[in-house]
Amino acid sequence: MSLIQFLSHSRAGDAFREAVAAFCNERTSNALIRFNPGSPAVKVERTLTKLLKSHPEMEIDSVEIDAVAGCEYYRG
């Protein structure tokens, strides 16, 4: 399933849902989805997908990802 599909099955707030849509369109950090400037958008998307897949019960309002990207990893 995709990020949007996991989002639709989650308890995330409406503002966060809008922030995810904005991220998917612009592929940049925004007020509710913050991440390091050097973070590849695809790795941020995978992190958001994993969060929503693992915790659909959470009422997410915002996310801050503090991670470092390498060729084969994204740690933080």
Side-chain angles (χ1 to χ4, degrees), residues 3-4 18-28 30 45:
L3 171 58
I4 299 302
E18 291 174 16
V20 169
F23 166 76
C24 288
N25 288 329
E26 300 164 14
R27 312 298 280 177
T28 60
N30 59 51
E45 182 176 345

Side-chain angles (χ1 to χ4, degrees), residues 8-37:
S8 69
H9 292 98
S10 78
R11 295 187 64 203
D14 290 338
F16 184 74
R17 291 173 187 274
E18 291 174 16
V20 169
F23 166 76
C24 288
N25 288 329
E26 300 164 14
R27 312 298 280 177
T28 60
S29 187
N30 59 51
L32 299 180
I33 301 174
R34 296 177 304 279
F35 53 90
N36 302 352

Side-chain angles (χ1 to χ4, degrees), residues 7-67:
L7 181 64
S8 69
H9 292 98
S10 78
R11 295 187 64 203
D14 290 338
F16 184 74
R17 291 173 187 274
E18 291 174 16
V20 169
F23 166 76
C24 288
N25 288 329
E26 300 164 14
R27 312 298 280 177
T28 60
S29 187
N30 59 51
L32 299 180
I33 301 174
R34 296 177 304 279
F35 53 90
N36 302 352
S39 293
V42 68
K43 292 188 179 189
V44 172
E45 182 176 345
R46 288 179 188 155
T47 301
L48 293 171
T49 302
K50 178 70 173 175
L51 172 65
L52 293 168
K53 178 182 180 181
S54 299
H55 301 285
E57 77 286 353
M58 290 179 67
E59 296 178 13
I60 302 170
D61 293 322
S62 66
V63 170
E64 183 171 351
I65 301 169
D66 183 17

